[in-house]
Amino acid sequence: MRLYIQLLLSTLLIIFLSACSNSGRYHMRHDTAPLRAPTVLEMQDAVITDITKSASTSRPYTVLGKRYTPMLDESGYSEEGIASWYGRKFHGYHTSNGEIYDMFAMTAAHKTLPLPSFLRVTNMSNGKSVIVRVNDRGPFHDDRIIDLSYAAAYKLGYYTHGTAKVKLEAVTLSGLGKINETYIQVAAGSTLENIEALASTLRLQYKLPTNIVKKDAIYRLHLGPIKDAQHAHQVLEKLKQDQFQNAFLLYTQ
């Protein structure tokens, strides 16, 4: 009986150690696509905002024996190469700058761009483009220049192929004269019906289109686009006077 118990304990220990040796940061060994397609809201371009860069991700680092030195400024950056995408394996885990990776958000991973930064990515085979927020490091393959979220790859039309030849162009707020459109984020909430009702009211009151963006179970109401910067500031001031104290400007190109 004692021998049987010892054998049983030894077997359980081997199983436990084997499981520990096979486990890692991610719960999946191989990456896969999600079980559904992105929604219309999820495939809208990332909204460009003026955000402080992450200091911790600006330092040189080494991965797989290769050293990378991040850029301090993405202005003027442009490059062509191969894009891949990443999905379920990484969904819900932290990105390099501390955000949570969402495969249905318009985000990307790049080896050396400042985090966060914004890129216009164009699929050179079909002309489709998308604006993404770069918030992660990778892909660590010499033949690829960027990893896009599943939603971004879906919008660019290469999610079934795995990779695509793309053109990357940095999008910044440094040249306001180059900005074509301005949006105003008016409000945010968890109840879509309330946000839609407010959107209907603002469309009539301000004679401007509205746009609702969902992220992390929160619906964000954007007013615009507004092409004239002065008009956008006037509308913003009026909104603040109408009890929307948290309204702020967003920019796209």
Side-chain angles (χ1 to χ4, degrees):
M1 184 65 177
R2 179 179 296 179
L3 179 60
Y4 172 77
I5 294 175
Q6 289 177 337
L7 289 173
L8 178 61
L9 290 175
S10 299
T11 302
L12 291 174
L13 179 61
I14 292 172
I15 293 173
F16 174 76
L17 293 174
S18 177
C20 289
S21 65
N22 289 330
S23 64
R25 179 186 175 192
Y26 305 108
H27 68 283
M28 298 176 65
R29 174 174 292 185
H30 302 292
D31 198 8
T32 61
L35 302 179
R36 66 172 178 85
T39 65
V40 174
L41 284 177
E42 290 166 339
M43 284 194 293
Q44 295 186 75
D45 286 349
V47 178
I48 303 161
T49 56
D50 188 11
I51 298 177
T52 302
K53 306 298 186 186
S54 169
S56 62
T57 61
S58 65
R59 295 188 284 268
Y61 65 98
T62 301
V63 174
L64 300 176
K66 186 170 183 179
R67 189 170 176 81
Y68 300 91
T69 301
M71 308 175 199
L72 297 179
D73 182 6
E74 71 272 27
S75 300
Y77 168 79
S78 179
E79 187 176 4
E80 295 181 5
I82 301 298
S84 49
W85 59 266
Y86 59 138
R88 290 177 63 193
K89 177 179 179 179
F90 307 92
H91 184 73
Y93 290 90
H94 283 92
T95 64
S96 296
N97 72 339
E99 298 176 10
I100 300 298
Y101 175 63
D102 181 354
M103 60 186 168
F104 293 112
M106 284 298 168
T107 61
H110 191 277
K111 301 180 189 74
T112 57
L113 278 169
L115 303 183
S117 55
F118 297 90
L119 285 177
R120 183 185 299 278
V121 185
T122 303
N123 186 336
M124 299 181 71
S125 67
N126 58 21
K128 294 181 179 180
S129 66
V130 63
I131 293 178
V132 297
R133 173 189 172 92
V134 182
N135 65 353
D136 204 1
R137 290 291 179 224
F140 297 109
H141 302 273
D142 292 337
D143 60 339
R144 303 176 195 172
I145 62 172
I146 196 167
D147 250 348
L148 297 181
S149 67
Y150 179 77
Y154 191 100
K155 187 171 183 178
L156 290 179
Y158 77 89
Y159 64 100
T160 58
H161 306 299
T163 61
K165 179 71 177 296
V166 298
K167 181 177 182 180
L168 309 181
E169 300 169 283
V171 182
T172 69
L173 295 180
S174 58
L176 293 180
K178 296 181 179 180
I179 293 177
N180 295 326
E181 297 173 332
T182 303
Y183 289 83
I184 300 174
Q185 179 162 314
V186 181
S190 59
T191 305
L192 179 58
E193 291 78 8
N194 294 343
I195 296 296
E196 288 178 333
L198 179 58
S200 178
T201 299
L202 293 180
R203 280 197 301 270
L204 293 174
Q205 183 176 352
Y206 289 90
K207 310 300 181 185
L208 288 169
T210 58
N211 184 34
I212 299 175
V213 177
K214 181 184 178 184
K215 183 177 181 182
D216 300 329
I218 298 297
Y219 297 95
R220 294 165 171 82
L221 173 57
H222 297 164
L223 190 64
I226 307 171
K227 291 191 175 182
D228 181 77
Q230 184 177 357
H231 183 206
H233 283 279
Q234 291 172 347
V235 173
L236 178 62
E237 289 305 312
K238 182 65 168 59
L239 284 165
K240 288 181 177 293
Q241 293 171 11
D242 290 342
Q243 300 181 345
F244 295 101
Q245 295 296 325
N246 295 324
F248 59 92
L249 295 176
L250 301 170
Y251 301 96
T252 66
Q253 290 191 333

